[in-house]
């Protein structure tokens, strides 16, 4: 019978010892995963970039979409909270570096402390992202969609000549009309709707006509600002209204082109899933640190491997933040 010869290097590789380029088997697999995941995110962001370039004239302006800040209702704070979220996530990457460094020095207490801070940072980021989604889905002002699919927003010029958005609730009339929610058994091609909007198209149109100071803000962009129509143009355009749009979903988006909402939900949701997974793994590793598992092994390499994943998640968010919020 033939004997299988296994070298010392093979045992070292399978046991997590030094492998190619001096990296352990576990680290190599983590790097392979990060590389493949980076290609996935690159494909998503490239698709977003191509779509935005194609519809650049009607793409929503981030400063007009992400203007909320917790406990500051009615205050226009464009991008402030998104910047805070980004800072928290980047800071959690710093605490992860400190945890890995403490592991190299076999300092169990410091590893646990810095990993705890990393977990808290990840949870705050996830909660912030959920809050941002809630506001994005709910909307703030409302709009109407025309027969051709254009989004029309409403507003008026203030004393300084600057355009000021006006919510549907500020001018829509309440008319004595019956509205019925579309269900699959009554809808065309078995279509349905989750809920009725706060106002019907007729209530918005009649309320707009009754307010002489209101004009329409077109979804078309010129010099990084949306084009405001005059009163006569607005009255002619409002007659094309077909749907009342409140907030954003996968079908309609009050902020502009619906593909923006589709990409936003998919890419930020996919990234949020990565952060959620990273938080769960960090919690498991944290408890292993508390129990002294790695102290007994005299190696905190597992902390280093999960640290690689966490740094990757943070780096991806930098690109997502740049594409969606800054560019």
């Amino acid at each position: 019978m033939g004997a299988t010869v296994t070298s010392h290097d093979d045992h070292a590789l399978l046991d997590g010892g030094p492998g190619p380029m001096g990296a352990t088997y576990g680290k190599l697999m983590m790097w392979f995963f990060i590389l493949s995941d980076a290609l996935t995110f690159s494909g998503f962001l490239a698709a977003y970039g191509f779509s935005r370039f194609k519809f650049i004239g009607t793409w929503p302006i981030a400063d007009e979409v992400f203007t909320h800040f917790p406990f500051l209702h009615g205050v226009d704070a464009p991008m402030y909270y998104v910047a805070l979220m980004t800072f928290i996530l980047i800071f959690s990457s710093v605490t992860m570096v400190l945890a890995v460094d403490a592991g190299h020095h076999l300092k169990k207490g410091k590893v646990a402390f810095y990993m705890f801070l990393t977990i808290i940072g990840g949870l705050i980021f996830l909660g912030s992202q959920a809050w941002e989604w809630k506001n994005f889905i709910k909307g703030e002002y409302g709009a109407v969609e025309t027969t051709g699919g254009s989004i029309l927003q409403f507003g008026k010029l203030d004393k300084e000549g600057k355009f000021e958005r006006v919510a549907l609730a500020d001018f829509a009339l309440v008319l004595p009309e019956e509205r019925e929610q579309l269900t699959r058994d009554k809808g065309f091609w078995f279509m349905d709707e989750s809920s009725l909007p706060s106002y019907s198209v007729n209530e918005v149109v009649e309320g707009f006509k009754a307010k002489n100071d209101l004009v329409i803000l077109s979804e078309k962009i010129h010099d990084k600002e949306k084009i405001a129509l005059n009163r006569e143009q607005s009255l002619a355009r409002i007659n094309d209204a077909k749907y009342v749009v409140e907030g954003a979903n996968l079908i309609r988006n009050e902020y502009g082109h619906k593909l923006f909402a589709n990409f936003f939900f998919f890419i930020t949701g996919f990234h949020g899933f990565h952060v959620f997974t990273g938080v769960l793994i960090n919690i498991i590793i944290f408890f292993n640190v508390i129990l002294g598992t790695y102290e007994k092994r005299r190696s905190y390499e597992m902390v280093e491997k999960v640290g690689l994943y966490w740094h990757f998640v943070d780096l991806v968010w930098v690109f997502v933040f740049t594409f969606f919020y800054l560019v």
Side-chain angles (χ1 to χ4, degrees):
M1 297 179 63
T4 302
V5 180
T6 304
S7 67
H8 174 74
D9 290 339
D10 292 334
H11 279 302
L13 183 62
L14 293 175
D15 293 341
M21 298 178 291
T24 63
Y25 181 81
K27 284 185 182 179
L28 282 176
M29 293 303 102
M30 180 58 73
W31 277 113
F32 288 153
F33 168 76
I34 288 174
L35 179 61
S36 63
D37 216 23
L39 294 175
T40 302
F41 274 105
S42 298
F44 293 157
L45 292 176
Y48 171 83
F50 282 123
S51 299
R52 176 172 179 171
F53 180 78
K54 182 177 181 179
F55 302 104
I56 190 65
T58 59
W59 206 254
I61 301 173
D63 285 346
E64 297 180 359
V65 178
F66 308 104
T67 60
H68 303 87
F69 203 94
F71 311 112
L72 297 179
H73 302 290
V75 177
D76 188 30
M79 310 297 293
Y80 290 2
Y81 194 59
V82 180
L84 179 61
M85 290 169 50
T86 304
F87 172 78
I88 292 173
L89 192 62
I90 292 176
F91 184 77
S92 71
S93 191
V94 174
T95 57
M96 178 59 79
V97 169
L98 295 175
V100 172
D101 181 69
H104 289 160
H105 295 85
L106 300 178
K107 296 180 179 179
K108 173 183 172 182
K110 286 189 174 182
V111 174
F113 174 72
Y114 289 125
M115 287 210 67
F116 177 76
L117 292 181
T118 303
I119 293 169
I120 294 299
L123 291 175
I124 293 175
F125 178 84
L126 288 174
S128 300
Q129 197 169 53
W131 183 85
E132 185 185 41
W133 270 43
K134 186 264 295 182
N135 285 285
F136 186 67
I137 294 171
K138 181 181 178 182
E140 184 175 4
Y141 295 101
V144 295
E145 182 179 316
T146 65
T147 305
S150 298
I151 296 295
L152 305 180
Q153 300 171 340
F154 304 94
K156 60 183 178 181
L157 295 176
D158 58 16
K159 297 179 180 179
E160 300 177 354
K162 186 178 180 181
F163 191 86
E164 179 183 349
R165 288 286 303 277
V166 176
L168 299 181
D170 295 334
F171 67 88
L173 299 178
V174 179
L175 302 177
E177 59 182 15
E178 294 185 1
R179 293 193 294 156
E180 185 178 5
Q181 182 175 344
L182 181 65
T183 56
R184 292 177 63 85
D185 59 331
K186 300 175 183 177
F188 182 69
W189 286 110
F190 301 99
M191 294 174 60
D192 58 5
E193 55 186 354
S194 57
S195 62
L196 288 172
S198 302
Y199 306 96
S200 67
V201 173
N202 194 35
E203 289 173 332
V204 174
V205 171
E206 295 302 320
F208 177 80
K209 292 180 178 179
K211 294 280 189 178
N212 294 325
D213 60 338
L214 291 181
V215 293
I216 283 177
L217 188 66
S218 171
E219 67 175 357
K220 294 191 177 297
I221 300 173
H222 176 69
D223 196 20
K224 297 183 179 181
E225 291 186 358
K226 292 185 177 180
I227 301 175
L229 308 180
N230 59 38
R231 180 64 179 175
E232 292 182 0
Q233 293 172 327
S234 299
L235 289 173
R237 197 73 192 278
I238 194 64
N239 292 322
D240 293 333
K242 186 177 182 181
Y243 300 104
V244 174
V245 184
E246 295 176 308
N249 52 51
L250 296 178
I251 301 175
R252 294 183 178 88
N253 171 19
E254 77 167 56
Y255 307 102
H257 203 284
K258 66 179 181 180
L259 278 180
F260 176 83
N262 294 346
F263 278 111
F264 178 80
F265 287 129
F266 186 78
I267 294 180
T268 62
F270 190 61
H271 176 266
F273 173 75
H274 279 69
V275 177
F276 177 74
T277 304
V279 169
L280 289 182
I281 296 174
N282 279 337
I283 291 175
I284 295 173
I285 302 302
F286 170 76
F287 280 110
N288 281 338
V289 172
I290 295 296
L291 294 174
T293 302
Y294 309 120
E295 190 74 16
K296 296 174 183 177
R297 298 178 184 175
R298 307 297 294 171
S299 173
Y300 283 85
E301 184 182 320
M302 189 61 70
V303 176
E304 188 173 352
K305 286 187 286 188
V306 75
L308 290 174
Y309 175 80
W310 193 254
H311 297 323
F312 167 73
V313 168
D314 290 0
L315 181 61
V316 168
W317 176 252
V318 172
F319 286 96
V320 174
F321 175 75
T322 302
F323 271 69
F324 272 99
Y325 303 99
L326 296 183
V327 178

